[in-house]
């Protein structure tokens, strides 16, 4: 049934399904007979009628290595802060093992990389796997030593 309201806008009445044979949408309410889609609460997501679904047709992208090199990174300013709060001693060699023991870097880290952000004021001895050029310059400038582990 279509009615006109005062603003001459056409308003279509909602079709009430399942209200008798005479309504045209009675008994099965336009869902057909039996089967999965005639039941309530059924949503067949990404089902394309037996055709290979789109998400399986498209190729996989990217690669996630299960042998990831877990590299812990630490800046010079963090090392200086740890020396200032007496967590690290100046006379000992700063290495992966010591930093793991003090829980400064993650215990699962395989390698250690020293980065050159910030300033370092104390003479330190560093033993590391990787180190940036700026970090090497800063440590050597104050008279410290850098040992790079060879694999």
């Amino acid at each position: 049934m279509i009615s006109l309201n005062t603003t001459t806008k056409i308003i279509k009445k909602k079709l009430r399904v399942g209200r008798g044979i005479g309504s045209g949408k009675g008994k099965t309410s336009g869902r057909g007979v039996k089967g999965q889609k005639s039941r309530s609460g059924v949503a067949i997501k990404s089902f394309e009628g037996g055709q290979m679904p789109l998400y399986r047709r498209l190729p996989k992208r990217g690669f996630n290595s299960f042998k990831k090199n877990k590299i812990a990174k630490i800046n010079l300013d963090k090392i200086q802060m740890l020396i200032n709060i007496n967590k690290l001693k100046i006379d000992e060699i700063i290495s992966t093992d010591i930093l793991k023991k003090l829980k400064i870097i993650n215990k699962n880290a395989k390698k250690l990389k020293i980065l050159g952000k910030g300033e370092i004021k104390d003479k330190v001895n560093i033993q590391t796997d990787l180190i940036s050029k700026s970090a090497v310059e800063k440590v050597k400038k104050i008279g410290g030593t850098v040992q790079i582990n060879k694999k």
Side-chain angles (χ1 to χ4, degrees), residues 10 20 30 33-34 42 44 55 77 103 105 108 113 126 138-139 145 151:
I10 296 174
V33 196
K34 297 183 180 176
V42 175
I44 308 168
Y55 71 91
D77 58 355
K103 295 182 179 175
I105 62 171
N108 298 325
K113 181 166 186 173
I126 296 173
K138 288 176 183 179
V139 171
T145 59
K151 205 169 185 192

Side-chain angles (χ1 to χ4, degrees), residues 3-136:
S3 66
L4 293 172
N5 74 6
T6 54
T7 57
T8 63
K9 198 172 174 185
I10 296 174
I11 297 170
K12 200 169 183 181
K13 262 188 152 181
K14 186 176 174 252
L15 185 69
R16 296 178 68 215
V17 294
R19 294 293 182 274
I21 200 165
S23 70
K25 287 273 188 250
K27 193 185 166 213
T28 54
S29 307
R31 286 175 172 265
V33 196
K34 297 183 180 176
Q36 187 178 13
K37 289 168 88 179
S38 71
R39 319 282 190 228
S40 67
V42 175
I44 308 168
K45 291 186 182 85
S46 75
F47 183 69
E48 297 180 19
Q51 174 178 295
M52 188 62 69
L54 183 68
Y55 71 91
R56 287 184 61 195
R57 273 180 279 162
L58 297 174
K60 290 182 188 173
R61 288 288 310 224
F63 175 74
N64 294 321
S65 174
F66 57 89
K67 284 184 171 180
K68 264 188 188 151
N69 288 335
K70 294 183 173 102
I71 300 172
K73 300 175 194 107
I74 189 165
N75 278 303
L76 287 176
D77 58 355
K78 178 105 182 232
I79 292 171
Q80 182 61 50
M81 188 214 29
L82 293 165
I83 291 167
N84 292 345
I85 61 170
N86 295 324
K87 242 187 170 185
L88 286 174
K89 293 172 187 72
I90 302 167
D91 55 328
E92 67 184 2
I93 296 169
I94 297 166
S95 66
T96 312
D97 301 326
I98 290 169
L99 295 174
K100 279 183 186 178
K101 205 178 287 177
L102 295 170
K103 295 182 179 175
I104 295 161
I105 62 171
N106 194 315
K107 65 180 180 184
N108 298 325
K110 302 278 186 255
K111 292 183 178 182
L112 173 68
K113 181 166 186 173
I114 308 290
L115 302 172
K117 184 181 170 214
E119 290 298 318
I120 190 152
K121 295 167 186 88
D122 297 305
K123 186 177 159 182
V124 289
N125 300 321
I126 296 173
Q127 183 180 8
T128 183
D129 300 295
L130 305 157
I131 189 164
S132 68
K133 287 178 186 175
S134 62
V136 173

